[in-house]
Amino acid sequence: MKAIRLKAPGGTDQLEYIELATPTIAVGEVLIRVKAISVNPIDVKTRAGQGLYGMIKIQNPLIIGWDISGEVVETRSESFTVGDQVFGMINFPGHGKSYAEYVAAPASQLALKPATVSHDEAAAATLTALTVWQALVEKAQVNAGQNVLVHAAAGGVGHLAVQLAKHLGAHVTGTSSGANKEFILSLGADKHIDYHRYDWTNSLNEFDFVLDTIGGDNLDRSVDVVRKGGMVISISTGISNETAEKAKQKGVNAFFMLVQSNGDDMQQVASLLESGALRVHVFKSFPFSEMAAAHHQVESGRTVGKVVVTV
Ligand SMILES: NC(=O)c1ccc[n+]([C@@H]2O[C@H](COP(=O)([O-])OP(=O)(O)OC[C@H]3O[C@@H](n4cnc5c(N)ncnc54)[C@H](OP(=O)(O)O)[C@@H]3O)[C@@H](O)[C@H]2O)c1
Protein backbone atom coordinates (compact mmCIF):
# COMPACT_ATOMS: atom_id res chain seq x y z
CA MET A 1 0.00 0.00 0.00
CA LYS A 2 0.99 3.64 -0.37
CA ALA A 3 1.76 5.58 2.80
CA ILE A 4 3.45 8.84 3.72
CA ARG A 5 6.41 8.63 6.04
CA LEU A 6 7.79 11.52 8.05
CA LYS A 7 11.54 11.24 7.38
CA ALA A 8 12.60 13.81 9.96
CA PRO A 9 11.00 16.82 11.68
CA GLY A 10 10.83 19.80 9.33
CA GLY A 11 9.00 21.15 6.31
CA THR A 12 6.64 19.37 3.94
CA ASP A 13 9.70 18.06 2.02
CA GLN A 14 10.05 15.59 4.91
CA LEU A 15 6.78 13.88 3.90
CA GLU A 16 7.89 10.95 1.72
CA TYR A 17 5.59 8.61 -0.27
CA ILE A 18 6.61 4.98 0.34
CA GLU A 19 5.32 1.45 -0.31
CA LEU A 20 4.50 -0.49 2.87
CA ALA A 21 2.99 -3.89 3.58
CA THR A 22 -0.72 -3.65 4.37
CA PRO A 23 -1.01 -3.66 8.20
CA THR A 24 -2.02 -6.84 10.00
CA ILE A 25 -4.74 -6.50 12.62
CA ALA A 26 -4.77 -7.65 16.24
CA VAL A 27 -7.76 -8.94 18.21
CA GLY A 28 -10.20 -6.06 18.70
CA GLU A 29 -9.03 -4.25 15.58
CA VAL A 30 -10.39 -3.73 12.07
CA LEU A 31 -8.55 -2.99 8.83
CA ILE A 32 -9.89 0.11 7.11
CA ARG A 33 -9.50 0.97 3.43
CA VAL A 34 -9.12 4.73 3.91
CA LYS A 35 -11.28 7.00 1.76
CA ALA A 36 -10.53 10.34 3.41
CA ILE A 37 -8.09 11.80 5.92
CA SER A 38 -8.48 15.14 7.64
CA VAL A 39 -5.46 17.34 8.31
CA ASN A 40 -5.29 19.25 11.59
CA PRO A 41 -2.89 21.80 13.07
CA ILE A 42 -1.50 18.94 15.22
CA ASP A 43 -0.40 17.16 12.02
CA VAL A 44 1.52 20.27 10.97
CA LYS A 45 3.02 20.83 14.42
CA THR A 46 4.09 17.18 14.70
CA ARG A 47 5.59 17.24 11.20
CA ALA A 48 7.62 20.28 12.27
CA GLY A 49 8.96 18.50 15.38
CA GLN A 50 6.48 19.93 17.89
CA GLY A 51 3.05 18.61 18.86
CA LEU A 52 3.24 14.85 19.39
CA TYR A 53 6.63 14.45 17.69
CA GLY A 54 8.56 13.81 20.91
CA MET A 55 6.09 11.09 21.90
CA ILE A 56 6.20 9.14 18.63
CA LYS A 57 9.60 9.93 17.11
CA ILE A 58 11.00 6.46 17.90
CA GLN A 59 8.44 4.83 15.57
CA ASN A 60 9.87 3.57 12.30
CA PRO A 61 8.42 4.22 9.83
CA LEU A 62 6.79 7.23 11.44
CA ILE A 63 3.38 7.74 9.81
CA ILE A 64 1.50 10.75 11.16
CA GLY A 65 -2.23 11.50 10.79
CA TRP A 66 -5.14 10.50 13.02
CA ASP A 67 -8.47 11.35 11.36
CA ILE A 68 -9.93 8.88 8.91
CA SER A 69 -13.11 7.69 7.27
CA GLY A 70 -13.27 4.54 5.18
CA GLU A 71 -14.51 0.98 4.70
CA VAL A 72 -13.87 -2.06 6.88
CA VAL A 73 -12.15 -4.72 4.72
CA GLU A 74 -11.11 -7.15 7.47
CA THR A 75 -12.17 -7.52 11.08
CA ARG A 76 -11.12 -9.17 14.33
CA SER A 77 -13.86 -7.45 16.31
CA GLU A 78 -17.54 -8.26 16.75
CA SER A 79 -18.40 -4.57 16.64
CA PHE A 80 -18.02 -4.17 12.85
CA THR A 81 -18.39 -6.33 9.76
CA VAL A 82 -16.65 -6.21 6.40
CA GLY A 83 -18.23 -3.50 4.25
CA ASP A 84 -19.12 -1.19 7.17
CA GLN A 85 -18.37 2.48 6.51
CA VAL A 86 -16.64 3.83 9.62
CA PHE A 87 -14.86 6.93 10.88
CA GLY A 88 -12.72 7.83 13.87
CA MET A 89 -9.63 9.43 15.35
CA ILE A 90 -7.03 6.68 15.67
CA ASN A 91 -4.73 6.27 18.69
CA PHE A 92 -4.67 9.90 19.75
CA PRO A 93 -2.47 10.93 21.43
CA GLY A 94 -0.10 8.33 19.95
CA HIS A 95 0.95 6.79 16.65
CA GLY A 96 -2.11 7.15 14.40
CA LYS A 97 -0.44 5.86 11.17
CA SER A 98 -3.30 7.37 9.17
CA TYR A 99 -1.49 8.84 6.14
CA ALA A 100 -1.93 5.51 4.36
CA GLU A 101 -4.25 3.58 2.08
CA TYR A 102 -5.02 1.08 4.87
CA VAL A 103 -5.13 1.65 8.62
CA ALA A 104 -5.39 -0.93 11.43
CA ALA A 105 -7.67 0.63 14.04
CA PRO A 106 -9.09 -0.44 17.40
CA ALA A 107 -12.83 -1.02 16.91
CA SER A 108 -13.31 0.76 20.26
CA GLN A 109 -12.27 4.05 18.63
CA LEU A 110 -14.70 3.96 15.69
CA ALA A 111 -18.32 4.64 14.84
CA LEU A 112 -20.44 3.85 11.79
CA LYS A 113 -20.46 6.75 9.36
CA PRO A 114 -23.98 8.10 8.82
CA ALA A 115 -25.07 7.41 5.24
CA THR A 116 -26.04 11.07 4.80
CA VAL A 117 -22.48 12.22 5.42
CA SER A 118 -19.65 11.88 2.86
CA HIS A 119 -16.29 10.31 3.73
CA ASP A 120 -14.72 13.78 3.42
CA GLU A 121 -17.16 15.25 5.91
CA ALA A 122 -16.87 12.28 8.25
CA ALA A 123 -13.06 12.39 8.32
CA ALA A 124 -13.31 16.10 9.10
CA ALA A 125 -15.62 15.39 12.05
CA THR A 126 -13.27 13.21 14.08
CA LEU A 127 -10.52 15.05 16.04
CA THR A 128 -12.35 18.38 15.86
CA ALA A 129 -15.77 16.94 16.73
CA LEU A 130 -14.39 14.80 19.56
CA THR A 131 -12.63 17.89 20.92
CA VAL A 132 -15.81 19.94 21.07
CA TRP A 133 -17.82 17.02 22.48
CA GLN A 134 -15.27 16.31 25.20
CA ALA A 135 -14.84 20.03 26.04
CA LEU A 136 -18.42 21.34 25.89
CA VAL A 137 -20.39 18.28 27.02
CA GLU A 138 -18.06 16.19 29.17
CA LYS A 139 -15.93 18.89 30.83
CA ALA A 140 -17.94 22.13 30.75
CA GLN A 141 -21.44 20.58 30.73
CA VAL A 142 -22.70 23.56 28.76
CA ASN A 143 -26.43 23.92 29.15
CA ALA A 144 -29.38 26.00 28.04
CA GLY A 145 -29.18 29.72 28.66
CA GLN A 146 -25.45 29.83 29.30
CA ASN A 147 -23.29 32.47 27.66
CA VAL A 148 -20.53 30.78 25.64
CA LEU A 149 -17.57 32.36 23.83
CA VAL A 150 -15.83 30.36 21.08
CA HIS A 151 -12.51 31.69 19.82
CA ALA A 152 -11.47 31.01 16.21
CA ALA A 153 -15.09 30.17 15.50
CA ALA A 154 -14.40 29.89 11.75
CA GLY A 155 -11.76 27.19 12.23
CA GLY A 156 -11.99 23.41 12.29
CA VAL A 157 -12.74 23.18 16.00
CA GLY A 158 -14.54 26.50 16.35
CA HIS A 159 -17.15 25.99 13.63
CA LEU A 160 -18.27 22.77 15.28
CA ALA A 161 -18.09 24.28 18.79
CA VAL A 162 -20.50 27.05 17.77
CA GLN A 163 -22.98 24.49 16.44
CA LEU A 164 -22.72 22.18 19.44
CA ALA A 165 -23.09 25.04 21.93
CA LYS A 166 -26.22 26.20 20.07
CA HIS A 167 -27.54 22.64 20.04
CA LEU A 168 -27.07 22.59 23.83
CA GLY A 169 -29.16 25.75 24.10
CA ALA A 170 -26.43 28.27 24.88
CA HIS A 171 -26.18 31.87 23.72
CA VAL A 172 -23.06 31.77 21.52
CA THR A 173 -20.52 34.40 20.57
CA GLY A 174 -17.81 33.53 18.04
CA THR A 175 -14.61 35.38 17.21
CA SER A 176 -12.86 35.68 13.84
CA SER A 177 -11.67 38.36 11.47
CA GLY A 178 -14.41 40.46 9.85
CA ALA A 179 -14.09 38.38 6.67
CA ASN A 180 -15.62 35.34 8.39
CA LYS A 181 -18.45 37.10 10.25
CA GLU A 182 -21.23 35.88 7.94
CA PHE A 183 -19.92 32.32 8.01
CA ILE A 184 -20.00 32.29 11.83
CA LEU A 185 -23.49 33.75 11.99
CA SER A 186 -24.61 31.16 9.42
CA LEU A 187 -23.54 28.44 11.88
CA GLY A 188 -26.12 29.79 14.34
CA ALA A 189 -23.92 32.05 16.47
CA ASP A 190 -25.92 34.80 18.16
CA LYS A 191 -23.08 37.29 18.08
CA HIS A 192 -19.81 37.83 16.26
CA ILE A 193 -16.69 39.58 17.51
CA ASP A 194 -13.96 40.74 15.14
CA TYR A 195 -10.83 40.06 17.18
CA HIS A 196 -8.92 42.76 15.29
CA ARG A 197 -11.25 45.39 16.81
CA TYR A 198 -12.27 43.76 20.08
CA ASP A 199 -12.08 45.78 23.28
CA TRP A 200 -11.92 42.99 25.85
CA THR A 201 -12.85 45.33 28.66
CA ASN A 202 -16.38 45.57 27.19
CA SER A 203 -17.06 41.94 28.09
CA LEU A 204 -15.68 41.58 31.61
CA ASN A 205 -17.39 38.71 33.48
CA GLU A 206 -19.85 38.21 30.62
CA PHE A 207 -19.39 34.53 29.85
CA ASP A 208 -20.06 31.25 31.66
CA PHE A 209 -17.67 29.32 29.43
CA VAL A 210 -14.89 30.14 26.97
CA LEU A 211 -13.29 27.70 24.53
CA ASP A 212 -9.84 29.13 23.88
CA THR A 213 -8.23 27.85 20.70
CA ILE A 214 -5.53 30.53 20.49
CA GLY A 215 -3.52 30.56 23.75
CA GLY A 216 -1.13 33.17 25.16
CA ASP A 217 -2.62 36.62 25.67
CA ASN A 218 -5.95 35.44 24.22
CA LEU A 219 -6.17 32.82 26.96
CA ASP A 220 -5.22 35.32 29.66
CA ARG A 221 -7.91 37.76 28.44
CA SER A 222 -10.41 34.91 28.34
CA VAL A 223 -10.13 34.64 32.12
CA ASP A 224 -11.14 38.31 32.35
CA VAL A 225 -14.35 37.79 30.38
CA VAL A 226 -15.53 34.72 32.32
CA ARG A 227 -17.66 35.25 35.41
CA LYS A 228 -16.59 33.99 38.83
CA GLY A 229 -17.39 30.27 38.96
CA GLY A 230 -17.15 29.97 35.16
CA MET A 231 -14.77 27.87 33.09
CA VAL A 232 -12.08 28.40 30.44
CA ILE A 233 -10.79 25.42 28.49
CA SER A 234 -7.58 25.98 26.59
CA ILE A 235 -6.82 23.56 23.76
CA SER A 236 -4.05 25.41 21.96
CA THR A 237 -1.40 25.88 24.62
CA GLY A 238 -0.88 25.13 28.28
CA ILE A 239 -1.73 27.76 30.87
CA SER A 240 1.06 29.99 32.17
CA ASN A 241 1.58 30.23 35.92
CA GLU A 242 0.45 33.86 35.82
CA THR A 243 -2.82 33.07 34.05
CA ALA A 244 -3.44 30.07 36.30
CA GLU A 245 -2.93 32.26 39.37
CA LYS A 246 -5.21 34.97 37.97
CA ALA A 247 -7.94 32.38 37.32
CA LYS A 248 -7.55 30.96 40.82
CA GLN A 249 -7.84 34.39 42.42
CA LYS A 250 -10.98 35.09 40.40
CA GLY A 251 -12.59 31.70 41.08
CA VAL A 252 -12.46 30.62 37.42
CA ASN A 253 -11.76 27.00 36.53
CA ALA A 254 -9.17 27.31 33.73
CA PHE A 255 -7.33 24.29 32.37
CA PHE A 256 -5.76 22.69 29.29
CA MET A 257 -7.51 19.75 27.67
CA LEU A 258 -6.14 17.19 25.21
CA VAL A 259 -8.65 15.24 23.13
CA GLN A 260 -8.62 11.42 23.45
CA SER A 261 -9.69 8.70 21.00
CA ASN A 262 -13.04 7.30 22.15
CA GLY A 263 -15.59 5.20 20.24
CA ASP A 264 -18.51 6.06 22.56
CA ASP A 265 -17.89 9.75 21.93
CA MET A 266 -17.58 9.03 18.19
CA GLN A 267 -21.07 7.53 18.31
CA GLN A 268 -22.38 10.73 19.89
CA VAL A 269 -20.73 12.64 17.05
CA ALA A 270 -22.28 10.28 14.49
CA SER A 271 -25.75 10.95 15.98
CA LEU A 272 -25.20 14.71 15.86
CA LEU A 273 -24.10 14.48 12.21
CA GLU A 274 -27.04 12.25 11.33
CA SER A 275 -29.59 14.59 12.94
CA GLY A 276 -28.03 17.61 11.25
CA ALA A 277 -27.18 19.26 14.58
CA LEU A 278 -23.55 19.29 13.39
CA ARG A 279 -22.61 20.08 9.80
CA VAL A 280 -19.00 20.03 8.67
CA HIS A 281 -17.73 22.70 6.34
CA VAL A 282 -15.02 21.21 4.09
CA PHE A 283 -12.94 24.18 2.98
CA LYS A 284 -10.85 22.23 0.49
CA SER A 285 -10.23 18.63 -0.46
CA PHE A 286 -6.81 17.62 -1.82
CA PRO A 287 -5.80 14.35 -3.52
CA PHE A 288 -3.46 12.01 -1.57
CA SER A 289 -0.62 13.03 -3.89
CA GLU A 290 -0.93 16.62 -2.58
CA MET A 291 -0.53 16.13 1.15
CA ALA A 292 2.10 18.89 1.21
CA ALA A 293 -0.42 21.38 -0.20
CA ALA A 294 -2.94 20.31 2.44
CA HIS A 295 -0.31 21.00 5.12
CA HIS A 296 0.43 24.41 3.64
CA GLN A 297 -3.27 25.30 3.77
CA VAL A 298 -3.61 24.29 7.44
CA GLU A 299 -0.33 26.02 8.25
CA SER A 300 -1.69 29.29 6.82
CA GLY A 301 -3.97 29.61 9.87
CA ARG A 302 -6.71 30.97 7.58
CA THR A 303 -8.73 27.82 6.94
CA VAL A 304 -12.49 28.18 7.22
CA GLY A 305 -13.80 24.81 8.43
CA LYS A 306 -11.67 21.78 7.54
CA VAL A 307 -9.01 20.56 5.15
CA VAL A 308 -9.40 17.01 3.84
CA VAL A 309 -7.28 14.63 1.76
CA THR A 310 -9.03 11.99 -0.34
CA VAL A 311 -7.35 8.61 -0.79
N1 LIG B 1 -5.87 20.15 22.84
C1 LIG B 1 -6.60 19.51 21.94
O1 LIG B 1 -7.10 18.42 22.18
C2 LIG B 1 -6.83 20.14 20.58
C3 LIG B 1 -7.76 19.60 19.71
C4 LIG B 1 -7.99 20.23 18.49
C5 LIG B 1 -7.29 21.38 18.15
N2 LIG B 1 -6.37 21.86 19.02
C6 LIG B 1 -5.64 23.12 18.71
O2 LIG B 1 -6.60 24.16 18.64
C7 LIG B 1 -6.15 25.15 17.72
C8 LIG B 1 -7.26 25.44 16.70
O3 LIG B 1 -7.43 24.29 15.89
P1 LIG B 1 -8.32 24.37 14.56
O4 LIG B 1 -8.29 23.03 13.92
O5 LIG B 1 -9.62 24.99 14.86
O6 LIG B 1 -7.43 25.41 13.71
P2 LIG B 1 -7.71 26.04 12.29
O7 LIG B 1 -8.88 25.39 11.64
O8 LIG B 1 -6.43 26.06 11.54
O9 LIG B 1 -8.09 27.57 12.64
C9 LIG B 1 -8.16 28.47 11.59
C10 LIG B 1 -9.05 29.63 11.98
O10 LIG B 1 -8.46 30.37 13.05
C11 LIG B 1 -8.96 31.70 12.97
N3 LIG B 1 -8.09 32.57 13.75
C12 LIG B 1 -6.75 32.74 13.64
N4 LIG B 1 -6.31 33.60 14.58
C13 LIG B 1 -7.39 33.98 15.31
C14 LIG B 1 -7.61 34.85 16.44
N5 LIG B 1 -6.59 35.52 17.01
N6 LIG B 1 -8.86 34.96 16.94
C15 LIG B 1 -9.89 34.30 16.38
N7 LIG B 1 -9.77 33.48 15.29
C16 LIG B 1 -8.54 33.33 14.78
C17 LIG B 1 -8.95 31.98 11.48
O11 LIG B 1 -9.99 32.91 11.23
P3 LIG B 1 -9.61 34.34 10.57
O12 LIG B 1 -8.97 34.00 9.24
O13 LIG B 1 -10.92 35.02 10.47
O14 LIG B 1 -8.63 34.99 11.50
C18 LIG B 1 -9.25 30.60 10.85
O15 LIG B 1 -10.56 30.47 10.38
C19 LIG B 1 -4.83 24.61 17.13
O16 LIG B 1 -3.76 25.15 17.85
C20 LIG B 1 -4.93 23.12 17.37
O17 LIG B 1 -3.67 22.48 17.43
C21 LIG B 1 -6.12 21.27 20.21
Side-chain angles (χ1 to χ4, degrees), residues 85-117:
Q85 310 293 308
V86 295
F87 69 132
M89 176 182 77
I90 312 306
N91 296 330
F92 193 94
H95 196 198
K97 300 190 231 178
S98 293
Y99 287 3
E101 289 179 306
Y102 292 87
V103 169
S108 62
Q109 297 179 358
L110 302 168
L112 285 174
K113 178 184 77 64
T116 49
V117 171

Side-chain angles (χ1 to χ4, degrees), residues 39-42 45 92 127-128 131 150-159 175-180 184 193 195-196 212-214 218 234-237 256-260 297-299 301-306:
V39 179
N40 294 289
I42 190 66
K45 293 175 192 175
F92 193 94
L127 182 143
T128 49
T131 300
V150 175
H151 286 295
V157 173
H159 89 295
T175 72
S176 75
S177 64
N180 289 319
I184 288 168
I193 288 173
Y195 62 88
H196 292 297
D212 176 66
T213 52
I214 307 291
N218 201 82
S234 162
I235 61 167
S236 174
T237 58
F256 174 77
M257 187 202 96
L258 187 63
V259 64
Q260 309 283 329
Q297 175 56 48
V298 173
E299 215 157 10
R302 298 275 79 84
T303 300
V304 176
K306 287 292 301 168

Side-chain angles (χ1 to χ4, degrees), residues 1-4 17-23 31-37 63 68-71 73 97-104 288 310-311:
M1 67 167 188
K2 285 196 179 59
I4 302 175
Y17 289 82
I18 57 171
E19 277 296 328
L20 274 186
T22 304
L31 184 67
I32 300 170
R33 167 76 179 90
V34 178
K35 302 277 180 71
I37 301 166
I63 314 281
I68 57 166
S69 182
E71 180 172 330
V73 292
K97 300 190 231 178
S98 293
Y99 287 3
E101 289 179 306
Y102 292 87
V103 169
F288 193 55
T310 51
V311 184

Side-chain angles (χ1 to χ4, degrees), residues 16-291:
E16 180 187 41
Y17 289 82
I18 57 171
E19 277 296 328
L20 274 186
T22 304
T24 52
I25 51 172
V27 172
E29 290 187 334
V30 299
L31 184 67
I32 300 170
R33 167 76 179 90
V34 178
K35 302 277 180 71
I37 301 166
S38 98
V39 179
N40 294 289
I42 190 66
D43 300 37
V44 170
K45 293 175 192 175
T46 303
R47 186 210 74 219
Q50 300 151 8
L52 299 186
Y53 184 76
M55 182 190 280
I56 59 177
K57 64 183 178 188
I58 55 163
Q59 304 289 341
N60 187 19
L62 176 53
I63 314 281
I64 63 170
W66 292 270
D67 283 1
I68 57 166
S69 182
E71 180 172 330
V72 173
V73 292
E74 196 184 326
T75 178
R76 294 188 70 190
S77 157
E78 289 179 0
S79 304
F80 298 101
T81 55
V82 169
D84 281 348
Q85 310 293 308
V86 295
F87 69 132
M89 176 182 77
I90 312 306
N91 296 330
F92 193 94
H95 196 198
K97 300 190 231 178
S98 293
Y99 287 3
E101 289 179 306
Y102 292 87
V103 169
S108 62
Q109 297 179 358
L110 302 168
L112 285 174
K113 178 184 77 64
T116 49
V117 171
S118 69
H119 281 290
D120 277 16
E121 292 165 331
T126 50
L127 182 143
T128 49
L130 285 173
T131 300
V132 302
W133 177 266
Q134 291 172 10
L136 272 65
V137 175
E138 294 178 354
K139 303 277 189 214
Q141 298 175 3
V142 168
N143 54 54
Q146 285 193 322
N147 236 349
V148 168
L149 176 62
V150 175
H151 286 295
V157 173
H159 89 295
L160 296 182
V162 167
Q163 295 175 65
L164 183 57
K166 279 308 292 177
H167 178 68
L168 296 168
H171 182 276
V172 183
T173 302
T175 72
S176 75
S177 64
N180 289 319
K181 175 179 178 178
E182 290 312 317
F183 173 69
I184 288 168
L185 295 177
S186 78
L187 301 169
D190 300 284
K191 195 174 157 196
H192 171 263
I193 288 173
D194 178 346
Y195 62 88
H196 292 297
R197 299 155 187 258
Y198 189 30
D199 179 357
W200 291 82
T201 56
N202 283 342
S203 307
L204 297 179
N205 308 320
E206 184 177 325
F207 297 99
D208 299 292
F209 173 66
V210 179
L211 182 64
D212 176 66
T213 52
I214 307 291
D217 192 45
N218 201 82
L219 171 57
D220 192 73
R221 296 291 203 141
S222 294
V223 173
D224 297 331
V225 300
V226 166
R227 66 166 171 79
K228 181 179 179 191
M231 184 183 287
V232 177
I233 294 184
S234 162
I235 61 167
S236 174
T237 58
I239 301 188
S240 70
N241 290 340
E242 293 74 23
T243 302
E245 184 55 30
K246 178 165 144 179
K248 192 174 158 200
Q249 292 298 328
K250 191 176 173 184
V252 166
N253 186 8
F255 58 93
F256 174 77
M257 187 202 96
L258 187 63
V259 64
Q260 309 283 329
S261 294
N262 185 310
D264 291 339
D265 292 351
M266 278 308 305
Q267 279 168 30
Q268 299 286 350
V269 169
S271 300
L272 290 165
L273 291 170
E274 192 156 34
S275 71
L278 281 189
R279 290 176 204 273
V280 179
H281 179 75
V282 176
F283 178 73
K284 192 157 181 195
S285 187
F286 295 86
F288 193 55
S289 57
E290 292 181 19
M291 182 60 82

